[in-house]
Amino acid sequence: MKAFKLFLAVLSFALLAPVASQAAVASTEAPQAAIERSEVKKEKKLFSEAKMAKMEKKLAKKMKKINKILGKSGNSVDFNDPVDKWMWFWIFGWGGAILISVLSVFTGGFLWYLSYLLWTAGTVCLIIWLVKKFGGDL
């Protein structure tokens, strides 16, 4: 019986020894796997940087087109011009009115009166701009 117990002890040790050596190998592989994951993250960052550079180029092209449409100076809003300043008051008035109208829906109509005032002011500025622009010598 002692021999059988000794045989079982040696057998169990023999079976557990490869598991322990595999654990030791796995523990040395774990840092290697972490290094590989960090390299993959770096490659992803490089890819995103390349993607960002491509997006910047596209944005620069679109900005050139917009500046060409708005004028060569790129400064399209000029409040010093006695005629065109009324056009910008009209555009900003109606734009603000639309924005506040949308916001008044969420606030239960509380801002509706302010939106109404902006619509009215924008419309008055539109009429002034039309008279100054196309009125001739009035």
Side-chain angles (χ1 to χ4, degrees):
M1 192 69 165
K2 284 185 180 183
F4 183 70
K5 287 182 182 178
L6 184 62
F7 175 74
L8 283 178
V10 171
L11 182 65
S12 62
F13 180 78
L15 291 174
L16 291 176
V19 173
S21 66
Q22 287 176 357
V25 170
S27 66
T28 59
E29 289 177 1
Q32 185 68 17
I35 291 171
E36 290 174 1
R37 277 187 246 127
S38 66
E39 290 175 357
V40 169
K41 286 181 182 179
K42 286 180 185 177
E43 289 176 3
K44 286 182 180 179
K45 286 182 182 178
L46 291 176
F47 176 72
S48 64
E49 289 173 4
K51 193 173 185 179
M52 290 298 293
K54 186 176 179 181
M55 292 289 285
E56 287 175 3
K57 287 179 183 178
K58 284 184 180 180
L59 183 61
K61 287 181 182 179
K62 287 184 181 184
M63 288 302 295
K64 284 181 184 179
K65 287 181 182 178
I66 290 171
N67 284 337
K68 187 184 272 187
I69 291 169
L70 292 177
K72 293 185 179 181
S73 65
N75 188 7
S76 60
V77 179
D78 184 20
F79 289 110
N80 294 327
D81 187 1
V83 176
D84 284 342
K85 72 178 178 182
W86 293 103
M87 178 189 68
W88 291 111
F89 291 152
W90 157 52
I91 291 171
F92 290 138
W94 279 10
I98 291 170
L99 179 68
I100 292 176
S101 294
V102 171
L103 291 175
S104 70
V105 170
F106 296 114
T107 60
F110 177 70
L111 296 173
W112 181 84
Y113 185 68
L114 182 61
S115 172
Y116 173 73
L117 290 175
L118 281 173
W119 279 113
T120 305
T123 304
V124 169
C125 291
L126 169 65
I127 293 168
I128 292 171
W129 176 69
L130 287 172
V131 168
K132 286 188 171 227
K133 184 82 170 180
F134 302 108
D137 292 332
L138 293 178

